[in-house]
Amino acid sequence: MKLRYSILTFLLFCTGTLFGQGIKFTASVNKNPVATGDIVEITFAVNGNAERFSPPQFTGFQVAGGPNESQSMEIINGNSSVSMSYSYELMAVKEGDFTIGPATTIVNGHSYTTNPIRIKVIKGRSVPQNSSAQTQNGPDNSITSAKTSNLAKSIFIKAVVDKSNVYMGQQITLSYRLYVRGVGIEQNQPDAIPELNGFWSEDIKHTQQQVQWHTETYKGERYNVADLKQTILFPEREGNLTIDPLGMKFVLRVQAPSEDIMDQFFGSYKQVPYTTKSAPVTIHVKPLPQAGKPDSFTGAVGEFQIESSVDKTTLKANDALNYKVKVSGRGNIKLLKTLSTNFPADFDKYDPKITDSVIENENGVAGDRYYNYLLIPRHQGDYTIDPLKFSYFNPAANRYVTLTTKAFHIKVDKGNSQSNVTAFSDGDKQDIKMLDKDIRYIKTDDSSLSNSGDLFFGSFGYYILLLLGPCLCFAAYLYRNWLIKNNSDIVKVKSRQAGKIAAKHLANAQNQLQAGNAKAFYEDVFKGLYGYLSDKLNIQYANLNKETIASAMKEKKVSSRLLDQLQDTLDLCEMARYAPVTHISEREVFEKAKSIINEIENEI
Amino acid sequence: MKYSMLKRLFYLLVIVFPLLSFGNDDAAMLFKKANDLYAKSQYKEALNTYQQIIDDDHQSAAVFFNMGNAAYKTGDIPSALLYFEKAHKLSPGDEDINFNLKYANLKTTDKIDAAPEFFLSRWWRAFILSISAKVLSVWSVLFVLAASGALALYFFGNSVSVKKASFYGALALFFLGGLSIFMANRQLSYFDDHKQAIVFSNSVNVKSGPVDKSGTLFVIHEGTKVNIMDSNNGWMKVSLANGNEGWIKTTNVKEI
């Protein structure tokens, strides 16, 4: 489309049509600057019925032709409008800047003037001063035939890049230039539109509608040059990339040689169709260096600045927070990927709104890109939005640059709990609604208050108490065993219990004594002593006599004195059963028997 | 002979029982005062008074339970959960504690679906947590003493029926005593192995490693219970009931 626009304006310019509403009186030239000896056509156009036209002084130029008057009329919806133009062919004679003054005319009784036009005349062919009108056909006489080989030198398209050895992502300005020399262009139309594979391209939009012509010397020849199309390219892959040619079809007006004098006088032209295209250009694209590539690098190449801001630092939970990042600079700014932001994990975040304000011109792409992040903190607390890191590759300095924005501390106050619930309405959780229930009431009695450090289980006291049972049980076991062992020897048991049996008899004897029954008394004492000795000495009661007692006593190593005492007492008891005892009282006998038993108990 | 054994056993029990109830008059008075404050809806003051009991180095399931209730009433759900959990630890089988714990858990932000558990391990946990370790330890002592008594009776019993009954009785009592010890031991080691904590920060980033730089895996909010798996230099490795694991800063949580 852009190409078509420029071609259209180019065409419009070539045919010299006038535009405008209301009365406009304009002056225009078909080329500027001109070389000496060249013909420049100046046209004064008015969109009305001009009554009187007075041309200005063409100082510095020779009038080679004109005035050529043309008039056109059109009727639209019954309104007729007339436009008129007066054109002169001027030949530049001298080098320098010349100003063609205003022309005046009167339309509907009003006087109009054109703006003065400055024309720069540069050095060309030498022109004889005051040459006749015949020279009006002179300018393009270098081309006298329509041979295409000649035409290729007269009109061609060149693709021009500002650099051909670049890094991936580094911007290149590409211009397709039309070089014209000595031919007129009657028609043009694009033939081959370049596809520019392997590049991300951005066309430069010109503010001026008309194609800007300038002259340029190429291979020793002077050409009129116009930029047909300018594009900024960002190589998207490494290697040798070819820029496709731009092709155009023209219908050219070339001077035809003629023998006819009239033709020679007025000039004879013919129309020649011609197709041309630019030569392909190869761009060598280097990969970005791996060394020193920062983690935060995402493909930005050029020169950038970055700044970030938040709209507030204190807010309530569930309120929105705007975090803005502005990346500005020159480079592939439109190709920037999403920034590697590091927001608190608990924030709800949305994809950023990206706004660009970027200008493309001959110097490349430059401008700002705004990332607007919407964040919604869901819970109260103090949060930190970490600094944002942005890295780019600076192809001019041939190194990576990392920029860091500042960190923001965000204080989130408790929000409206109602909205908190809706934000996290989690079906199942909300279903459990126990409107009539509450937590259970406190416990009002507590018998188990304990020192917090004390854990009864596993404590020393616990083990003592736990071992107490088995210990007692073991003791009982030992005691029982001892008892069984002790009671198993009847002789020992008897001898152990001998004293007790004797004591029983003696107690009986004492009763008899108190009753005054002497005979029974002595008998009981005798039985007591005999029974005692039988048990103690393990001798059958029937076998007991003085001899057996004496031998057994000797065996047990009882003292002879005690033995004598025992013999005496036994004799006394025996005697007392038959005859009364006078020399010793019963009490004395009783005491004696008791002491004997005691002494035997002690000695055995 | 038998008579004197029983007498000794009786004396023993008389000595043991006072040891098991470490009653404290001051603490009991504070407890009553705090309960009165709670009844008058002065929850903050009640909470402070209960805290005094804890500060005096006394504790019980009831105190923690009441503290949890008071914290719940003041709207401090994480604290309520912490106290309920502490009470639960002291008395795992208590129905009131478990109910309030569940109820307070409904007020937390994070909804965590517990990972399914094998029914046997669930039963086993319910079994070892059914009676508090304190009660179990008292029981174990009583069972062992009773078993020892029965065994002594067996040693000195005259008739065959008495001997038989006391022997099998002793076996059963020893088994019960051993079981009590085992349960108490399992319960304590369960709480040792299952250290848990309640999140007290509004929002905590759970990271993939114990350094600030590591990536955030997920976010948890106050009141969420985490299992402590490991701790390292101000960080602890935690896992949630649904099995998710990660590292958080120790300052964000309070251990139960």
Side-chain angles (χ1 to χ4, degrees):
Chain A
M1 276 312 278
K2 284 163 207 156
L3 184 69
R4 271 186 212 150
Y5 274 125
S6 52
I7 291 163
L8 180 65
T9 50
F10 181 70
L11 281 170
L12 287 171
F13 178 74
C14 288
T15 49
T17 313
L18 48 83
F19 282 102
Q21 277 123 15
I23 302 300
K24 271 190 184 163
F25 188 36
T26 55
S28 59
V29 289
N30 67 342
K31 55 188 166 188
N32 190 11
V34 293
T36 51
D38 277 359
I39 296 289
V40 59
E41 185 179 318
I42 182 160
T43 306
F44 303 96
V46 59
N47 56 343
N49 202 354
E51 288 171 22
R52 216 166 34 197
F53 173 73
S54 51
Q57 287 293 313
F58 300 114
T59 43
F61 295 87
Q62 281 183 15
V63 179
N68 302 319
E69 255 185 80
S70 74
Q71 188 170 15
S72 68
M73 177 185 278
E74 61 184 52
I75 300 168
I76 299 167
N77 297 336
N79 294 331
S80 65
S81 64
V82 178
S83 57
M84 299 182 75
S85 70
Y86 304 88
S87 65
Y88 293 84
E89 284 176 8
L90 307 174
M91 186 168 72
V93 180
K94 283 191 293 189
E95 288 173 58
D97 284 337
F98 296 96
T99 304
I100 294 173
T104 54
T105 187
I106 291 167
V107 181
N108 300 334
H110 296 281
S111 172
Y112 294 94
T113 53
T114 61
N115 290 325
I117 292 181
R118 286 170 68 85
I119 300 176
K120 190 181 167 96
V121 181
I122 55 174
K123 194 173 164 59
R125 292 177 292 122
S126 65
V127 179
Q129 296 283 314
N130 294 321
S131 64
S132 67
Q134 279 95 329
T135 55
Q136 65 175 296
N137 298 330
D140 292 333
N141 55 7
S142 59
I143 297 169
T144 50
S145 72
K147 279 185 189 165
T148 49
S149 61
N150 287 340
L151 279 176
K153 280 185 183 169
S154 308
I155 180 162
F156 56 89
I157 302 167
K158 239 176 90 180
V160 182
V161 289
D162 62 341
K163 42 197 170 290
S164 61
N165 193 7
V166 293
Y167 284 106
M168 214 157 85
Q170 185 177 1
Q171 56 185 358
I172 308 161
T173 309
L174 164 72
S175 311
Y176 287 106
R177 285 194 185 139
L178 176 64
Y179 286 72
V180 184
R181 178 170 169 267
V183 289
I185 298 169
E186 301 251 306
Q187 279 177 38
N188 65 17
Q189 72 179 75
D191 184 28
I193 307 278
E195 282 188 10
L196 301 170
N197 285 325
F199 297 97
W200 192 81
S201 60
E202 188 76 40
D203 282 340
I204 296 172
K205 295 173 207 79
H206 288 280
T207 45
Q208 289 141 311
Q209 288 284 300
Q210 294 183 337
V211 171
Q212 296 296 302
W213 286 95
H214 60 277
T215 54
E216 194 180 307
T217 307
Y218 178 71
K219 287 186 179 170
E221 301 278 4
R222 185 166 293 274
Y223 286 91
N224 289 320
V225 179
D227 283 329
L228 293 178
K229 177 177 160 75
Q230 278 187 310
T231 307
I232 295 160
L233 303 175
F234 298 96
E236 285 183 321
R237 53 173 192 259
E238 55 192 87
N240 290 325
L241 299 181
T242 306
I243 294 176
D244 296 334
L246 173 78
M248 282 192 83
K249 273 182 183 166
F250 297 99
V251 175
L252 303 175
R253 187 169 62 117
V254 296
Q255 196 178 19
S258 176
E259 300 303 314
D260 189 338
I261 189 132
M262 285 306 285
D263 283 352
Q264 274 184 358
F265 184 79
F266 292 109
S268 108
Y269 297 93
K270 63 177 182 177
Q271 293 186 330
V272 179
Y274 181 67
T275 305
T276 186
K277 64 179 183 176
S278 64
V281 177
T282 301
I283 306 286
H284 181 67
V285 184
K286 297 178 279 187
L288 293 170
Q290 286 299 320
K293 191 185 249 182
D295 289 340
S296 49
F297 180 74
T298 55
V301 179
E303 266 186 82
F304 299 97
Q305 292 84 44
I306 186 165
E307 53 189 79
S308 64
S309 60
V310 288
D311 60 345
K312 44 188 168 290
T313 55
T314 310
L315 73 164
K316 282 183 172 177
N318 299 315
D319 283 357
L321 174 72
N322 280 302
Y323 181 75
K324 230 180 222 179
V325 182
K326 177 187 168 193
V327 178
S328 53
R330 284 163 36 76
N332 51 356
I333 200 158
K334 280 190 174 176
L335 295 181
L336 291 185
K337 298 196 179 94
T338 314
L339 302 170
S340 55
T341 49
N342 196 0
F343 298 124
D346 202 23
F347 280 19
D348 277 8
K349 39 205 160 277
Y350 300 93
D351 284 343
K353 200 179 121 204
I354 298 173
T355 328
D356 288 329
S357 83
V358 175
I359 300 162
E360 300 90 14
N361 60 22
E362 289 80 359
N363 298 322
V365 175
D368 306 321
R369 165 168 275 205
Y370 298 93
Y371 292 86
N372 201 345
Y373 290 88
L374 181 68
L375 306 174
I376 299 181
R378 292 298 187 194
H379 300 278
Q380 69 176 110
D382 290 321
Y383 299 90
T384 303
I385 296 178
D386 289 341
L388 178 70
K389 274 191 179 155
F390 175 78
S391 300
Y392 65 90
F393 180 73
N394 187 341
N398 208 354
R399 66 186 175 89
Y400 290 100
V401 180
T402 300
L403 304 171
T404 310
T405 63
K406 59 183 176 185
F408 295 100
H409 296 285
I410 309 294
K411 189 176 180 329
V412 180
D413 296 327
K414 199 159 194 153
N416 190 345
S417 61
Q418 204 64 39
S419 54
N420 198 357
V421 168
T422 48
F424 277 93
S425 65
D426 199 343
D428 299 351
K429 260 204 134 161
Q430 290 301 310
D431 284 344
I432 310 165
K433 268 190 179 154
M434 305 204 287
L435 295 172
D436 293 319
K437 287 191 182 177
D438 195 4
I439 51 170
R440 294 197 183 167
Y441 196 68
I442 52 169
K443 291 175 187 291
T444 44
D445 66 313
D446 185 16
S447 55
S448 63
L449 259 176
S450 64
N451 289 329
S452 51
D454 295 342
L455 190 64
F456 179 56
F457 181 79
S459 68
F460 181 71
Y462 173 74
Y463 283 121
I464 292 291
L465 284 172
L466 200 61
L467 285 174
L468 198 66
C471 283
L472 287 173
C473 199
F474 186 64
Y477 173 74
L478 288 181
Y479 178 62
R480 191 200 60 156
N481 279 1
W482 177 79
L483 268 186
I484 290 168
K485 202 178 149 204
N486 236 7
N487 295 352
S488 62
D489 192 350
I490 295 157
V491 180
K492 270 194 176 164
V493 171
K494 267 191 175 170
S495 89
R496 206 165 55 233
Q497 291 179 344
K500 281 183 188 170
I501 292 164
K504 225 190 214 165
H505 283 286
L506 288 179
N508 270 346
Q510 202 170 11
N511 289 342
Q512 298 298 341
L513 183 65
Q514 272 160 9
N517 200 346
K519 208 170 173 182
F521 166 75
Y522 282 112
E523 207 175 302
D524 276 345
V525 171
F526 183 78
K527 268 184 189 164
L529 280 173
Y530 251 62
Y532 172 73
L533 291 168
S534 161
D535 282 348
K536 199 79 193 171
L537 302 173
N538 196 23
I539 299 167
Q540 288 289 313
Y541 197 84
N543 295 341
L544 270 180
N545 53 39
K546 280 182 189 166
E547 288 73 36
T548 52
I549 287 170
S551 64
M553 291 290 258
K554 272 175 191 154
E555 239 172 77
K556 304 260 180 195
K557 298 198 169 73
V558 177
S559 61
S560 55
R561 184 194 55 83
L562 185 59
L563 187 62
D564 290 345
Q565 272 188 5
L566 178 66
Q567 299 277 20
D568 287 351
T569 312
L570 285 174
D571 287 346
L572 185 70
C573 286
E574 218 161 347
M575 263 170 53
R577 288 203 320 215
Y578 313 105
V581 176
T582 50
H583 68 280
I584 189 163
S585 72
E586 283 102 348
R587 181 147 303 274
E588 276 172 329
V589 172
F590 180 74
E591 291 300 324
K592 213 172 182 180
K594 249 170 99 179
S595 72
I596 286 166
I597 289 172
N598 278 341
E599 276 185 58
I600 293 171
E601 277 291 283
N602 285 340
E603 290 198 22
I604 297 176
Chain B
M1 202 60 65
K2 265 183 288 171
Y3 180 73
S4 68
M5 265 317 277
L6 286 174
K7 221 176 185 178
R8 268 178 230 176
L9 227 152
F10 175 75
Y11 282 130
L12 234 159
L13 295 186
V14 166
I15 297 162
V16 166
F17 273 116
L19 280 174
L20 296 180
S21 52
F22 307 90
N24 187 304
D25 289 342
D26 284 354
M29 265 171 60
L30 280 172
F31 185 71
K32 201 176 166 302
K33 187 181 157 197
N35 286 352
D36 291 344
L37 285 168
Y38 185 92
K40 285 183 218 153
S41 301
Q42 293 170 318
Y43 302 118
K44 261 202 182 119
E45 294 78 3
L47 192 59
N48 289 337
T49 316
Y50 287 126
Q51 187 63 48
Q52 280 178 37
I53 302 177
I54 303 296
D55 291 343
D56 284 348
D57 238 18
H58 290 91
Q59 65 171 30
S60 75
V63 172
F64 282 127
F65 176 76
N66 294 359
M67 283 176 90
N69 271 11
Y72 179 89
K73 291 287 185 186
T74 57
D76 186 358
I77 301 299
S79 296
L81 284 167
L82 181 75
Y83 294 132
F84 285 146
E85 289 281 359
K86 283 187 177 208
H88 170 73
K89 204 169 161 180
L90 288 177
S91 179
D94 192 300
E95 193 49 41
D96 289 341
I97 296 172
N98 291 343
F99 178 87
N100 281 7
L101 189 52
K102 250 184 211 165
Y103 193 80
N105 256 322
L106 294 176
K107 307 273 175 187
T108 59
T109 308
D110 294 325
K111 184 197 175 195
I112 297 166
D113 292 321
E117 200 179 3
F118 186 48
F119 72 99
L120 275 181
S121 62
R122 202 172 60 236
W123 289 358
W124 175 247
R125 199 184 57 231
F127 171 65
I128 61 170
L129 297 187
S130 54
I131 306 161
S132 78
K134 201 166 159 185
V135 172
L136 280 172
S137 57
V138 174
W139 278 15
S140 67
V141 167
L142 292 182
F143 276 133
V144 169
L145 281 175
S148 307
L151 202 61
L153 195 65
Y154 163 75
F155 289 147
F156 297 104
N158 285 331
S159 71
V160 175
S161 59
V162 166
K163 267 185 172 298
K164 238 181 185 173
S166 59
F167 179 74
Y168 288 115
L171 273 189
L173 287 167
F174 268 126
F175 174 76
L176 287 174
L179 189 70
S180 309
I181 295 170
F182 177 72
M183 277 173 74
N185 178 277
R186 286 297 87 205
Q187 193 180 108
L188 289 181
S189 80
Y190 173 83
F191 284 125
D192 268 358
D193 292 348
H194 292 77
K195 285 220 160 56
Q196 294 180 317
I198 300 285
V199 174
F200 268 70
S201 297
N202 282 302
S203 133
V204 182
N205 294 343
V206 184
K207 305 252 181 191
S208 59
V211 271
D212 273 319
K213 271 190 211 158
S214 34
T216 303
L217 300 175
F218 50 94
V219 180
I220 50 179
H221 300 98
E222 62 177 8
T224 300
K225 186 165 81 170
V226 296
N227 300 308
I228 303 169
M229 303 173 74
D230 193 6
S231 59
N232 177 3
N233 213 3
W235 289 78
M236 52 170 63
K237 191 183 184 191
V238 297
S239 71
L240 301 186
N242 60 9
N244 288 338
E245 289 178 12
W247 292 83
I248 58 172
K249 277 195 174 149
T250 315
T251 47
N252 291 320
V253 298
K254 281 189 188 166
E255 200 178 323
I256 295 164

